[in-house]
Amino acid sequence: MKPLIVANWKCNPTTLKGAKLLFDSVKKEIKNIKNIEVVLCPPFIYLPILTVHRQVMNIKLGAQDCFWKQQGAFTGEISPLMLKDLGCQYVIIGHSERRALGETDEMINKKIRAALKSKLKPILCIDKISQIKKDLKTEIIIAYEPLFAIGTGKPCSIEKAKKMRTSLIRFKTVLYGGSINSENAKDYIKEAGFQGLLVGGASLEPKEFIQIVKNVSRVC
Ligand code: PEP
């Protein structure tokens, strides 16, 4: 299985021009890196245009959230069906920044089910094991994102991350996320045993993000 590197652009960039620029810079440099699966998750609004511009097999697109209903009277929501129709393959669910806005485990659970129903690959973000439903039988991608490490420049120690990876042994694909940079990226794969990374801040700097992908590619 190829390592998976997911870029969470969060609420950035602020213009379509900026989004295209970021996308094109990444695309240009990573199109020849075949041993890594790169998933870019821009804000919803940029997804249609970036899907059209994709043209590179090893870049996939993902969304940063989705609703739990496929259609209907739900003002402001985006359904998994709509994302799938656009060519999205992945969707981040339960990011800590969404949980901080009031998203509960129950809502997250419904979103995961809806995403799976539409054949999207959900990436469930957790910072503790209790956030995973005990009866979860379906194989999904988990992203371990310790709260203290998100956007702080203070990554989790390799030892602690490795322990968490061991606790999540029943999942085949577990990503690490939290203050990843080009220096530390490969250690979470090589030493802590993760199958990929969820990159926030560093994914907005094309040079740094490309270097993360290159450094992981070298050790795989
Ligand atoms: C994230 O938002 O999922 C994240 C890991 O952010 P950062 O890389 O900036 O810590």
Side-chain angles (χ1 to χ4, degrees):
M1 194 186 70
K2 288 184 192 181
L4 180 62
I5 301 188
V6 182
N8 176 14
W9 289 5
K10 310 190 187 201
C11 189
N12 302 287
T14 51
T15 61
L16 176 58
K17 193 175 166 201
K20 277 193 206 156
L21 260 173
L22 179 55
F23 183 83
D24 287 341
S25 325
V26 173
K27 182 172 103 172
K28 195 166 137 231
E29 287 291 324
I30 66 152
K31 65 172 185 281
N32 296 321
I33 302 177
K34 306 279 185 223
N35 63 342
I36 307 284
E37 173 132 318
V38 175
V39 180
L40 302 184
C41 301
F44 289 128
I45 196 162
Y46 301 138
L47 279 168
I49 194 91
L50 297 185
T51 318
V52 172
H53 282 243
R54 190 163 60 95
Q55 295 159 339
V56 177
M57 292 314 286
N58 61 335
I59 295 188
K60 306 272 167 30
L61 284 169
Q64 298 172 17
D65 184 30
C66 69
F67 192 48
W68 58 78
K69 293 279 189 185
Q70 306 295 3
Q71 65 180 111
F74 307 105
T75 305
E77 297 292 353
I78 305 286
S79 85
L81 212 53
M82 294 168 184
L83 295 171
K84 185 70 185 172
D85 180 62
L86 276 185
C88 261
Q89 297 185 31
Y90 291 84
V91 57
I92 297 171
I93 294 179
H95 192 278
S96 61
E97 286 155 12
R98 296 213 54 84
R99 291 179 192 259
L101 291 173
E103 204 162 275
T104 63
D105 282 341
E106 197 194 349
M107 290 155 83
I108 290 165
N109 189 265
K110 288 199 275 184
K111 290 182 176 194
I112 295 276
R113 285 167 200 266
L116 288 169
K117 210 169 168 188
S118 293
K119 307 269 186 291
L120 289 171
K121 293 179 191 166
I123 300 168
L124 170 63
C125 298
I126 60 157
D127 95 310
K128 33 180 150 21
I129 301 269
S130 60
Q131 287 166 334
I132 300 179
K133 240 184 154 257
K134 286 197 184 60
D135 63 354
L136 181 69
K137 299 249 167 33
T138 322
E139 181 61 41
I140 61 167
I141 302 167
I142 304 289
Y144 168 52
E145 297 212 299
L147 275 182
F148 65 81
I150 301 179
T152 57
K154 293 183 185 136
C156 180
S157 70
I158 296 297
E159 298 71 42
K160 186 172 165 26
K162 195 171 176 177
K163 265 194 199 148
M164 190 64 170
R165 179 62 191 99
T166 309
S167 318
L168 292 164
I169 193 83
R170 71 186 169 106
F171 294 97
K172 278 199 213 113
T173 311
V174 183
L175 315 180
Y176 167 78
S179 298
I180 284 289
N181 57 43
S182 57
E183 293 286 304
N184 62 21
K186 64 175 186 334
D187 300 341
Y188 291 93
I189 312 284
K190 263 302 209 212
E191 292 176 33
F194 287 84
Q195 287 63 51
L197 305 167
L198 179 48
V199 186
S203 72
L204 297 169
E205 300 166 36
K207 271 197 188 149
E208 183 64 1
F209 184 69
I210 291 157
Q211 203 53 52
I212 290 172
V213 177
K214 286 185 176 167
N215 289 356
V216 174
S217 162
R218 269 188 216 117
V219 296
C220 294

PDB file of all heavy atoms in Angstrom, residues 8 10 95-97 125 145 149-153 176-180 198-202, ligand 1:
ATOM      1  N   ASN A   8      -4.678  19.290   4.168  1.00  0.00           N
ATOM      2  CA  ASN A   8      -5.893  19.973   4.621  1.00  0.00           C
ATOM      3  C   ASN A   8      -5.658  21.476   4.507  1.00  0.00           C
ATOM      4  O   ASN A   8      -4.979  22.066   5.342  1.00  0.00           O
ATOM      5  CB  ASN A   8      -6.187  19.566   6.071  1.00  0.00           C
ATOM      6  CG  ASN A   8      -7.386  20.304   6.642  1.00  0.00           C
ATOM      7  OD1 ASN A   8      -8.149  20.918   5.898  1.00  0.00           O
ATOM      8  ND2 ASN A   8      -7.553  20.246   7.958  1.00  0.00           N
ATOM      9  N   LYS A  10      -7.718  23.748   4.938  1.00  0.00           N
ATOM     10  CA  LYS A  10      -8.603  24.481   5.865  1.00  0.00           C
ATOM     11  C   LYS A  10      -9.312  25.620   5.110  1.00  0.00           C
ATOM     12  O   LYS A  10      -9.672  25.434   3.957  1.00  0.00           O
ATOM     13  CB  LYS A  10      -7.821  24.991   7.071  1.00  0.00           C
ATOM     14  CG  LYS A  10      -6.971  23.891   7.708  1.00  0.00           C
ATOM     15  CD  LYS A  10      -6.386  24.293   9.022  1.00  0.00           C
ATOM     16  CE  LYS A  10      -5.422  23.233   9.498  1.00  0.00           C
ATOM     17  NZ  LYS A  10      -5.188  23.268  10.908  1.00  0.00           N
ATOM     18  N   HIS A  95     -12.771  16.559  12.068  1.00  0.00           N
ATOM     19  CA  HIS A  95     -11.554  17.318  12.368  1.00  0.00           C
ATOM     20  C   HIS A  95     -11.755  18.079  13.684  1.00  0.00           C
ATOM     21  O   HIS A  95     -12.870  18.547  13.971  1.00  0.00           O
ATOM     22  CB  HIS A  95     -11.233  18.289  11.225  1.00  0.00           C
ATOM     23  CG  HIS A  95      -9.863  18.887  11.343  1.00  0.00           C
ATOM     24  ND1 HIS A  95      -9.608  19.958  12.160  1.00  0.00           N
ATOM     25  CD2 HIS A  95      -8.684  18.532  10.788  1.00  0.00           C
ATOM     26  CE1 HIS A  95      -8.322  20.247  12.094  1.00  0.00           C
ATOM     27  NE2 HIS A  95      -7.734  19.393  11.264  1.00  0.00           N
ATOM     28  N   SER A  96     -10.696  18.237  14.444  1.00  0.00           N
ATOM     29  CA  SER A  96     -10.845  18.879  15.769  1.00  0.00           C
ATOM     30  C   SER A  96     -11.379  20.302  15.646  1.00  0.00           C
ATOM     31  O   SER A  96     -12.057  20.793  16.558  1.00  0.00           O
ATOM     32  CB  SER A  96      -9.510  18.887  16.506  1.00  0.00           C
ATOM     33  OG  SER A  96      -8.572  19.626  15.780  1.00  0.00           O
ATOM     34  N   GLU A  97     -11.079  20.952  14.508  1.00  0.00           N
ATOM     35  CA  GLU A  97     -11.590  22.324  14.356  1.00  0.00           C
ATOM     36  C   GLU A  97     -13.103  22.328  14.139  1.00  0.00           C
ATOM     37  O   GLU A  97     -13.782  23.303  14.448  1.00  0.00           O
ATOM     38  CB  GLU A  97     -10.835  23.031  13.217  1.00  0.00           C
ATOM     39  CG  GLU A  97      -9.422  23.395  13.662  1.00  0.00           C
ATOM     40  CD  GLU A  97      -8.411  23.531  12.550  1.00  0.00           C
ATOM     41  OE1 GLU A  97      -8.790  23.572  11.366  1.00  0.00           O
ATOM     42  OE2 GLU A  97      -7.205  23.588  12.875  1.00  0.00           O
ATOM     43  N   CYS A 125     -10.875  11.793  11.949  1.00  0.00           N
ATOM     44  CA  CYS A 125      -9.851  12.400  12.816  1.00  0.00           C
ATOM     45  C   CYS A 125     -10.200  12.168  14.282  1.00  0.00           C
ATOM     46  O   CYS A 125     -11.330  12.440  14.697  1.00  0.00           O
ATOM     47  CB  CYS A 125      -9.779  13.907  12.583  1.00  0.00           C
ATOM     48  SG  CYS A 125      -9.312  14.329  10.918  1.00  0.00           S
ATOM     49  N   GLU A 145      -4.683  12.773  15.447  1.00  0.00           N
ATOM     50  CA  GLU A 145      -4.264  14.171  15.501  1.00  0.00           C
ATOM     51  C   GLU A 145      -4.350  14.673  16.937  1.00  0.00           C
ATOM     52  O   GLU A 145      -5.419  15.171  17.362  1.00  0.00           O
ATOM     53  CB  GLU A 145      -5.163  15.018  14.603  1.00  0.00           C
ATOM     54  CG  GLU A 145      -5.081  14.651  13.138  1.00  0.00           C
ATOM     55  CD  GLU A 145      -5.291  15.868  12.268  1.00  0.00           C
ATOM     56  OE1 GLU A 145      -6.362  16.478  12.339  1.00  0.00           O
ATOM     57  OE2 GLU A 145      -4.361  16.225  11.540  1.00  0.00           O
ATOM     58  N   ALA A 149      -0.926  19.224  19.177  1.00  0.00           N
ATOM     59  CA  ALA A 149       0.031  19.319  18.067  1.00  0.00           C
ATOM     60  C   ALA A 149      -0.538  20.025  16.840  1.00  0.00           C
ATOM     61  O   ALA A 149       0.193  20.373  15.917  1.00  0.00           O
ATOM     62  CB  ALA A 149       0.502  17.914  17.680  1.00  0.00           C
ATOM     63  N   ILE A 150      -1.847  20.269  16.835  1.00  0.00           N
ATOM     64  CA  ILE A 150      -2.463  20.841  15.629  1.00  0.00           C
ATOM     65  C   ILE A 150      -2.238  22.343  15.548  1.00  0.00           C
ATOM     66  O   ILE A 150      -2.699  23.101  16.405  1.00  0.00           O
ATOM     67  CB  ILE A 150      -3.969  20.508  15.555  1.00  0.00           C
ATOM     68  CG1 ILE A 150      -4.122  18.984  15.537  1.00  0.00           C
ATOM     69  CG2 ILE A 150      -4.607  21.121  14.316  1.00  0.00           C
ATOM     70  CD1 ILE A 150      -5.538  18.512  15.497  1.00  0.00           C
ATOM     71  N   GLY A 151      -1.498  22.717  14.525  1.00  0.00           N
ATOM     72  CA  GLY A 151      -1.247  24.135  14.260  1.00  0.00           C
ATOM     73  C   GLY A 151      -0.388  24.825  15.294  1.00  0.00           C
ATOM     74  O   GLY A 151      -0.364  26.059  15.361  1.00  0.00           O
ATOM     75  N   THR A 152       0.316  24.066  16.124  1.00  0.00           N
ATOM     76  CA  THR A 152       1.079  24.682  17.221  1.00  0.00           C
ATOM     77  C   THR A 152       2.581  24.700  16.966  1.00  0.00           C
ATOM     78  O   THR A 152       3.323  25.357  17.699  1.00  0.00           O
ATOM     79  CB  THR A 152       0.851  23.895  18.535  1.00  0.00           C
ATOM     80  OG1 THR A 152       1.242  22.535  18.304  1.00  0.00           O
ATOM     81  CG2 THR A 152      -0.586  23.951  18.974  1.00  0.00           C
ATOM     82  N   GLY A 153       3.035  23.922  15.986  1.00  0.00           N
ATOM     83  CA  GLY A 153       4.478  23.805  15.770  1.00  0.00           C
ATOM     84  C   GLY A 153       5.112  22.876  16.805  1.00  0.00           C
ATOM     85  O   GLY A 153       6.326  22.787  16.906  1.00  0.00           O
ATOM     86  N   TYR A 176      -0.811  10.135  10.687  1.00  0.00           N
ATOM     87  CA  TYR A 176      -0.482  11.028  11.800  1.00  0.00           C
ATOM     88  C   TYR A 176      -0.663  12.463  11.313  1.00  0.00           C
ATOM     89  O   TYR A 176      -0.267  12.802  10.181  1.00  0.00           O
ATOM     90  CB  TYR A 176       0.964  10.836  12.300  1.00  0.00           C
ATOM     91  CG  TYR A 176       1.340  11.981  13.225  1.00  0.00           C
ATOM     92  CD1 TYR A 176       0.881  11.986  14.537  1.00  0.00           C
ATOM     93  CD2 TYR A 176       2.049  13.090  12.760  1.00  0.00           C
ATOM     94  CE1 TYR A 176       1.133  13.078  15.373  1.00  0.00           C
ATOM     95  CE2 TYR A 176       2.304  14.179  13.579  1.00  0.00           C
ATOM     96  CZ  TYR A 176       1.835  14.164  14.885  1.00  0.00           C
ATOM     97  OH  TYR A 176       2.062  15.252  15.692  1.00  0.00           O
ATOM     98  N   GLY A 177      -1.222  13.313  12.154  1.00  0.00           N
ATOM     99  CA  GLY A 177      -1.354  14.728  11.823  1.00  0.00           C
ATOM    100  C   GLY A 177      -1.059  15.597  13.025  1.00  0.00           C
ATOM    101  O   GLY A 177      -1.446  15.271  14.158  1.00  0.00           O
ATOM    102  N   GLY A 178      -0.359  16.706  12.793  1.00  0.00           N
ATOM    103  CA  GLY A 178      -0.047  17.646  13.875  1.00  0.00           C
ATOM    104  C   GLY A 178       1.360  18.174  13.730  1.00  0.00           C
ATOM    105  O   GLY A 178       2.320  17.478  14.037  1.00  0.00           O
ATOM    106  N   SER A 179       1.464  19.406  13.195  1.00  0.00           N
ATOM    107  CA  SER A 179       2.765  20.081  13.050  1.00  0.00           C
ATOM    108  C   SER A 179       3.792  19.280  12.248  1.00  0.00           C
ATOM    109  O   SER A 179       4.975  19.231  12.607  1.00  0.00           O
ATOM    110  CB  SER A 179       3.315  20.455  14.428  1.00  0.00           C
ATOM    111  OG  SER A 179       2.431  21.355  15.065  1.00  0.00           O
ATOM    112  N   ILE A 180       3.307  18.670  11.179  1.00  0.00           N
ATOM    113  CA  ILE A 180       4.222  17.957  10.274  1.00  0.00           C
ATOM    114  C   ILE A 180       4.997  18.980   9.454  1.00  0.00           C
ATOM    115  O   ILE A 180       4.460  19.980   8.998  1.00  0.00           O
ATOM    116  CB  ILE A 180       3.413  17.035   9.328  1.00  0.00           C
ATOM    117  CG1 ILE A 180       2.949  15.785  10.059  1.00  0.00           C
ATOM    118  CG2 ILE A 180       4.196  16.654   8.074  1.00  0.00           C
ATOM    119  CD1 ILE A 180       4.038  14.800  10.399  1.00  0.00           C
ATOM    120  N   LEU A 198      -1.468  13.585   7.725  1.00  0.00           N
ATOM    121  CA  LEU A 198      -2.460  14.631   7.444  1.00  0.00           C
ATOM    122  C   LEU A 198      -1.754  15.944   7.752  1.00  0.00           C
ATOM    123  O   LEU A 198      -1.325  16.184   8.887  1.00  0.00           O
ATOM    124  CB  LEU A 198      -3.703  14.422   8.316  1.00  0.00           C
ATOM    125  CG  LEU A 198      -4.852  15.412   8.207  1.00  0.00           C
ATOM    126  CD1 LEU A 198      -5.237  15.703   6.759  1.00  0.00           C
ATOM    127  CD2 LEU A 198      -6.089  14.882   8.919  1.00  0.00           C
ATOM    128  N   VAL A 199      -1.590  16.747   6.705  1.00  0.00           N
ATOM    129  CA  VAL A 199      -0.766  17.954   6.827  1.00  0.00           C
ATOM    130  C   VAL A 199      -1.650  19.197   6.729  1.00  0.00           C
ATOM    131  O   VAL A 199      -2.367  19.363   5.742  1.00  0.00           O
ATOM    132  CB  VAL A 199       0.304  17.985   5.702  1.00  0.00           C
ATOM    133  CG1 VAL A 199       1.257  19.158   5.902  1.00  0.00           C
ATOM    134  CG2 VAL A 199       1.065  16.660   5.627  1.00  0.00           C
ATOM    135  N   GLY A 200      -1.586  20.055   7.723  1.00  0.00           N
ATOM    136  CA  GLY A 200      -2.366  21.295   7.704  1.00  0.00           C
ATOM    137  C   GLY A 200      -1.537  22.461   7.197  1.00  0.00           C
ATOM    138  O   GLY A 200      -1.323  22.618   5.991  1.00  0.00           O
ATOM    139  N   GLY A 201      -1.028  23.262   8.115  1.00  0.00           N
ATOM    140  CA  GLY A 201      -0.299  24.486   7.774  1.00  0.00           C
ATOM    141  C   GLY A 201       0.740  24.322   6.670  1.00  0.00           C
ATOM    142  O   GLY A 201       0.789  25.137   5.730  1.00  0.00           O
ATOM    143  N   ALA A 202       1.542  23.276   6.754  1.00  0.00           N
ATOM    144  CA  ALA A 202       2.629  23.101   5.774  1.00  0.00           C
ATOM    145  C   ALA A 202       2.107  22.811   4.369  1.00  0.00           C
ATOM    146  O   ALA A 202       2.839  22.969   3.389  1.00  0.00           O
ATOM    147  CB  ALA A 202       3.571  21.990   6.235  1.00  0.00           C
TER     148      ALA A 202
HETATM  149  C1  PEP B   1      -4.621  19.639  10.628  1.00  0.00           C
HETATM  150  O1  PEP B   1      -5.256  20.672  10.503  1.00  0.00           O
HETATM  151  O2  PEP B   1      -5.177  18.542  10.433  1.00  0.00           O
HETATM  152  C2  PEP B   1      -3.220  19.705  11.006  1.00  0.00           C
HETATM  153  C3  PEP B   1      -2.590  18.606  11.254  1.00  0.00           C
HETATM  154  O3  PEP B   1      -2.671  20.965  11.065  1.00  0.00           O
HETATM  155  P1  PEP B   1      -1.103  21.319  11.229  1.00  0.00           P
HETATM  156  O4  PEP B   1      -0.337  20.428  10.272  1.00  0.00           O
HETATM  157  O5  PEP B   1      -1.012  22.749  10.866  1.00  0.00           O
HETATM  158  O6  PEP B   1      -0.723  21.036  12.642  1.00  0.00           O
END
